[in-house]
Amino acid sequence: AVVSTQSTGTISKNSVELCFPSFYKMNLLSGLFTLTLAVPIISELKILSTPDGKSGPAPCAFTCTGVARHDETGDYAWLQNYSGQAYRRVDISECGFVSTPVFTATLAGAYAGEATYRCPAIYTWQIDTTWFSVLSVKDADVSQVISSDCDVYWSAHGYNC
């Protein structure tokens, strides 16, 4: 349909109805309404338990994920502990957790062939609502962890209300 203007320069009522019949308006509204109902169902996150035993309402459950880079400095740099293990803190304060979340973390680094250093196995340690730490399972030289680009890839699942 073509929208025509009357001599006054306004769009006539009949022209608008030809372009946007109420049938199409209703289909658009019903489609948006259905999508609004379906999205929360599709993206539902169910947390069965948390480290501190606190649970929240289902609509407050969410996932926050990120990568803590190998070359960070200051409070979030790789360090060596007294027993030879590598460890570091990871800042998650921007996630906005109100209770201790459930964590998964792993290291991934550069791969340049068979003879190169591999990132060590780690486990999460000292978990809080704004940060957590990772610690190598066995002894690991911090300079090798950094030079091998061992970044911490992490996911946290918790509540924000």
Side-chain angles (χ1 to χ4, degrees), residues 78-120:
W78 280 106
L79 301 170
Q80 196 88 45
N81 72 8
Y82 62 89
S83 64
Q85 294 167 292
Y87 72 97
R88 67 166 295 169
R89 289 176 71 166
V90 177
D91 180 18
I92 60 162
S93 58
E94 290 185 42
C95 295
F97 291 112
V98 296
S99 61
T100 306
V102 177
F103 273 95
T104 302
T106 191
L107 293 184
Y111 180 74
E114 290 298 319
T116 62
Y117 178 80
R118 304 282 169 90
C119 296

Side-chain angles (χ1 to χ4, degrees), residues 3 37 55 84 119 142 157:
V3 176
L37 291 176
S55 61
C119 296
V142 170
H157 315 280

Side-chain angles (χ1 to χ4, degrees), residues 32-56:
L32 288 174
F33 180 71
T34 303
L35 184 60
T36 303
L37 291 176
V39 169
I41 294 169
I42 292 169
S43 64
E44 183 177 321
L45 175 64
K46 184 179 245 182
I47 300 172
L48 299 179
S49 61
T50 61
D52 60 10
K54 297 177 183 176
S55 61

